[in-house]
């Protein structure tokens, strides 16, 4: 009788664990999809960021001001190029890992699982270094730095700077999705260990 | 007889696993100590970075050049301040986790273990964002950016810039130590799961 009871209890616990496994499996799929989408939009938004403005330049007080077109492009700044490349790599890996996660939904053990966690970890490093680089250059562009005599440029290229900020925020959320993915994988392994 | 043999084999395997556990335990201690030391030196090196130079400035062709002292300090640039703070936080956490690791050498299971892995993960994000920020500003200081009209400053503050580079390299190795720590923890949990 006791044995039968235990069997029933085991069955319920097994089912509950299975259900939990599926729930975490779905959460992983959602996070991977978010990571993919956010890094994709971040890369595109900064990659195509460009603004041309007509700025009046006065050479002499006797002559009228010249109207000179000046252009800001993301490819002009190494930090922005690095950001676009970092987000593109993270986006490609998110898509690949999403496809792999679909194939073994509900979790699973295998060397691929371990490799995915380690590469997720590398994506965190890559994305956060890109966010730091773009954030630092963006901040100087926004506020300038009198000590270095680097003037702010965001008063001229307002739209360009706003697009950088938007891209930065999206990439940050994408990077947080990767942090949550690794935390999820670790807690999953921890519960099984 | 067979049972006794199996018992012997089990014993050997148990001892081998225990040995492996100790080896990984020592590796964790070494990595944590390295992370602590590298982030500590990186924070100090950039925190105290300062250079004063006498620069001749000519106002008029009739007058002799003025000798003006100009100073570069890490606190002048927000990205460098962020870098120092990030490395200080990572250093403090490395010291704390090192103390905790000493107490349960050879590994162990507990909620503290899980918390340490997640905070290790946050340290990776923190350090890499600081490295990205300092690297981006350092690169512009080194090469300048003609599009933004930000002139290079490392031709004037050579010693200052070299110290930034040294600090950056140390912090990068410290951040890699954290990546290895999380990878180690994950592979340990994976082998147990």
């Amino acid at each position: 009788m006791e044995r039968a009871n235990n069997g029933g209890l085991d069955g319920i616990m097994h089912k509950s664990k299975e259900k939990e496994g599926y729930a975490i499996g779905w959460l992983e799929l959602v996070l991977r999809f978010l990571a993919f989408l956010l890094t994709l939009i971040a890369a595109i938004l900064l990659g195509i960021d460009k603004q041309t403005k007509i700025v009046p330049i006065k050479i002499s007080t006797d002559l009228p001001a010249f109207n000179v077109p000046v252009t800001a492009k993301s490819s002009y700044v190494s930090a922005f190029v690095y950001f676009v490349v970092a987000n593109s790599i993270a986006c490609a890996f998110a898509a690949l890992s999403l496809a792999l996660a679909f194939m073994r939904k509900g979790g699973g053990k295998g060397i691929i699982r371990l490799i995915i966690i380690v590469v997720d970890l590398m994506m965190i490093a890559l994305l956060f270094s890109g966010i730091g680089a773009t954030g630092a250059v963006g901040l100087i562009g926004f506020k300038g730095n009198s000590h270095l005599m680097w003037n702010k440029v965001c008063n001229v290229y307002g739209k360009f700077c706003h697009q950088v900020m938007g891209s930065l925020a999206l990439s940050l959320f994408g990077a947080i999705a990767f942090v949550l993915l690794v935390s999820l994988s670790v807690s999953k392994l921890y519960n099984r260990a």
Side-chain angles (χ1 to χ4, degrees), chain A:
Chain A
M1 184 65 188
E2 208 181 287
R3 212 174 158 185
N5 266 351
N6 267 350
L9 206 68
D10 276 358
I12 292 166
M13 279 185 66
H14 184 74
K15 271 195 179 171
S16 141
K17 272 211 164 184
E18 208 175 55
K19 221 174 172 180
E20 198 187 318
Y22 267 102
I24 294 180
W26 274 110
L27 186 58
E28 189 188 336
L29 289 183
V30 170
L31 281 172
R32 284 208 184 274
F33 180 69
L34 275 176
F36 162 74
L37 198 70
L38 291 165
T39 51
L40 178 72
I41 304 174
I44 293 174
L45 210 61
L46 193 55
I48 60 162
D49 200 3
K50 190 180 171 182
Q51 189 182 6
T52 302
K53 260 205 144 178
I54 307 291
V55 177
I57 292 176
K58 237 181 154 71
I59 297 174
S60 155
T61 45
D62 307 323
L63 292 165
F66 283 97
N67 282 328
V68 180
V70 284
T71 302
K73 246 171 122 174
S74 57
S75 60
Y76 289 168
V77 183
S78 311
F80 294 169
V81 175
Y82 178 69
F83 178 94
V84 173
V85 172
N87 276 275
S88 305
I89 293 172
C91 171
F93 173 70
L96 177 73
S97 62
L98 190 64
L100 287 170
F102 251 115
M103 284 193 254
R104 47 145 196 72
K105 195 164 63 74
K109 209 196 164 193
I111 195 73
I112 293 173
R113 172 118 216 107
L114 189 63
I115 294 171
I116 285 179
I117 302 174
V118 174
V119 184
D120 276 343
L121 206 58
M122 286 172 186
M123 293 303 117
I124 293 173
L126 191 69
L127 284 176
F128 273 100
S129 60
I131 290 165
T134 296
V137 176
L139 188 69
I140 298 176
F142 203 69
K143 294 175 75 179
N145 191 308
S146 58
H147 300 289
L148 297 167
M149 291 201 281
W150 292 352
N151 294 318
K152 57 179 168 188
V153 286
C154 286
N155 48 344
V156 180
Y157 305 110
K159 188 217 131 215
F160 181 86
C161 285
H162 281 125
Q163 208 161 318
V164 173
M165 271 171 65
S167 182
L168 207 55
L170 290 173
S171 182
L172 183 62
F173 288 123
I176 290 171
F178 273 109
V179 172
L180 291 176
L181 275 168
V182 175
S183 305
L184 192 71
S185 301
V186 168
S187 65
K188 232 168 159 179
L189 284 173
Y190 177 82
N191 283 332
R192 274 190 206 168

